[in-house]
């Protein structure tokens, strides 16, 4: 049985690398990092480190990495569309695959069967395939959404339905009051788009789907690091809350560290998003 599982993993890895050779670097990182997360998580759950426990979790983690990477690859078909109109079937297909991959990663880290617990995020609401815990609120995403709704951003219903998460536009040009005089701000936002937790912000009148895909990839990257929280014992106690899923991600810290040390253009996750969005690094 173990030999068959190992053979299946080898075939999946080989097929994935051959199929996605354009982004082979990022494919390899997704697979290996998830494998390491799964291996370490399984050992921690078991209570001791040994080769067999690590290898068991590593294999399941690698499979989750393949699935997550496939969700990113699917978005390139959206960018390649000639009309550049967002296709909800491609976006939702990618999102479903990505959520499945993240669920598999969580199950790998906590030493469960790959499909034992499945979930899907809709904005700040987490839907679980679990009778005891069907709906949870993600507080970080909720706070981000409330902030964006109350700030200089406009909620876009159509794109939100396509994305399965809140999508906003910068209000530009906007009028502000300085010394009791109203003045129009004519400077555009620095970036064409931005991702904050499970929210996407786009510059007004951006017609290219590259920007949308780029920011959606960022939401995927952030989610990919949330299951790592299970390594923290205090998080396990908090995560047992029936109606709350603590969506803190170590991605935010790592992204910020790279931004401060090597600059925006050299951040690994920006390069990855550019690659899948078919943008130049």
């Amino acid at each position: 049985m173990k030999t068959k599982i190992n053979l299946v993993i080898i075939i999946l890895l080989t097929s994935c690398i051959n199929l996605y050779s354009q982004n082979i670097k990022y494919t390899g990182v997704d697979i290996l990092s998830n494998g390491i997360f799964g291996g370490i998580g399984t050992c921690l759950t078991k209570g001791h480190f040994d080769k067999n426990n690590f290898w068991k979790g590593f294999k399941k983690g690698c499979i989750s990495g393949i699935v997550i990477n496939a969700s990113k690859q699917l978005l390139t078909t959206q960018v390649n569309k000639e009309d550049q109109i967002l296709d909800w079937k491609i976006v939702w297909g990618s999102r479903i695959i990505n959520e499945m991959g993240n669920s598999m990663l969580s199950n790998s880290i906590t030493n469960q069967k790959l499909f034992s617990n499945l979930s899907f995020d809709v904005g700040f609401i987490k839907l679980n395939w679990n009778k005891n815990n069907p709906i949870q609120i993600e507080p970080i995403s909720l706070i981000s959404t409330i902030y964006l709704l109350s700030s200089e951003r406009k909620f876009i219903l159509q794109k939100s339905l396509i994305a399965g998460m809140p999508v906003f536009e910068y209000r530009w040009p906007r009028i502000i009051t300085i010394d009791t005089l109203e003045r129009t701000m004519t400077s555009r936002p620095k970036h064409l788009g931005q991702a904050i937790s499970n929210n996407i912000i786009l510059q007004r009148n951006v017609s290219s789907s590259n920007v949308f895909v780029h920011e959606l990839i960022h939401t995927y990257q952030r989610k990919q690091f949330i299951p790592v929280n299970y390594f923290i014992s205090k998080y396990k106690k908090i995560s047992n809350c029936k109606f709350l899923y603590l969506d803190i991600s170590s991605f935010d810290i790592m992204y910020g560290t790279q931004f401060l040390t090597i600059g925006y253009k050299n951040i690994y996750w920006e390069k990855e998003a550019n690659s899948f969005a078919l943008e130049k690094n």
Side-chain angles (χ1 to χ4, degrees):
M1 184 66 181
K2 288 183 178 180
T3 304
K4 290 182 180 179
I5 294 175
N6 293 340
L7 182 60
V8 169
I9 291 175
I10 292 172
I11 293 172
L12 284 171
L13 287 171
T14 306
S15 301
C16 189
I17 290 172
N18 289 335
L19 182 61
Y20 304 140
S21 57
Q22 179 182 354
N23 296 308
I24 188 170
K25 171 184 175 182
Y26 306 107
T27 300
V29 170
D30 279 339
I31 295 170
L32 291 176
S33 61
N34 278 26
I36 293 171
F37 292 156
I40 295 174
T42 298
C43 290
L44 289 173
T45 303
K46 288 281 190 179
H48 63 281
F49 283 80
D50 64 52
K51 184 174 66 176
N52 292 333
N53 285 338
F54 181 84
W55 179 238
K56 179 182 177 182
F58 181 82
K59 289 185 291 187
K60 291 190 292 186
C62 285
I63 295 173
S64 74
I66 292 172
V67 175
I68 288 175
N69 189 264
S71 71
K72 298 174 183 177
Q73 299 287 352
L74 181 57
L75 288 177
T76 61
T77 61
Q78 168 64 62
V79 179
N80 283 324
K81 287 174 86 269
E82 290 185 7
D83 55 19
Q84 289 290 295
I85 297 174
L86 293 176
D87 188 335
W88 70 269
K89 296 184 291 296
I90 295 175
V91 177
W92 272 87
S94 171
R95 288 228 39 220
I96 290 170
I97 294 171
N98 186 263
E99 296 289 353
M100 182 180 294
N102 282 314
S103 297
M104 293 164 69
L105 177 58
S106 296
N107 294 332
S108 301
I109 290 175
T110 54
N111 192 34
Q112 301 180 69
K113 293 181 179 179
L114 273 177
F115 299 100
S116 60
N117 291 304
L118 298 176
S119 62
F120 189 90
D121 291 352
V122 182
F124 55 83
I125 299 173
K126 189 175 189 66
L127 304 175
N128 300 306
W129 193 263
N130 187 327
K131 292 181 180 180
N132 299 324
N133 208 15
I135 298 177
Q136 289 177 298
I137 300 297
E138 301 184 358
I140 305 301
S141 297
L142 174 60
I143 293 170
S144 301
T145 303
I146 293 173
Y147 165 73
L148 292 170
L149 285 170
S150 61
S151 63
E152 294 287 338
R153 279 87 175 180
K154 180 182 178 182
F155 177 71
I156 308 299
L157 178 60
Q158 183 181 9
K159 290 183 179 179
S160 297
L161 292 174
I162 293 173
M165 65 180 68
V167 177
F168 298 84
E169 282 185 354
Y170 294 107
R171 293 184 185 273
W172 178 90
R174 66 180 189 271
I175 299 175
I176 63 172
T177 301
I178 302 177
D179 299 330
T180 70
L181 295 175
E182 288 190 344
R183 302 184 183 182
T184 302
M185 298 292 290
T186 57
S187 59
R188 289 179 178 271
K190 186 177 180 180
H191 302 294
L192 293 176
Q194 188 179 7
I196 301 178
S197 192
N198 282 351
N199 302 276
I200 293 175
I201 314 169
L202 302 173
Q203 197 174 111
R204 187 181 297 181
N205 299 325
V206 171
S207 58
S208 172
S209 62
N210 299 70
V211 179
F212 176 86
V213 168
H214 181 109
E215 302 309 328
L216 186 57
I217 291 290
H218 280 325
T219 67
Y220 288 0
Q221 293 166 338
R222 187 178 186 278
K223 289 180 183 179
Q224 197 168 350
F225 283 91
I226 291 178
V228 181
N229 293 339
Y230 288 110
F231 293 163
I232 306 171
S233 58
K234 290 183 179 179
Y235 176 83
K236 293 178 183 178
K237 296 178 181 178
I238 298 173
S239 63
N240 288 329
C241 177
K242 187 173 182 179
F243 301 106
L244 187 69
Y245 178 80
L246 193 58
D247 56 330
I248 295 174
S249 177
S250 53
F251 169 80
D252 299 325
I253 298 173
M254 293 185 292
Y255 185 99
T257 301
Q258 286 200 11
F259 177 81
L260 294 173
T261 54
I262 60 178
Y264 173 79
K265 292 184 178 180
N266 295 316
I267 296 174
Y268 169 84
W269 295 283
E270 288 296 338
K271 291 183 177 181
E272 182 189 33
N274 286 341
S275 179
F276 287 113
L278 303 183
E279 298 173 320
K280 293 182 179 180
N281 284 310

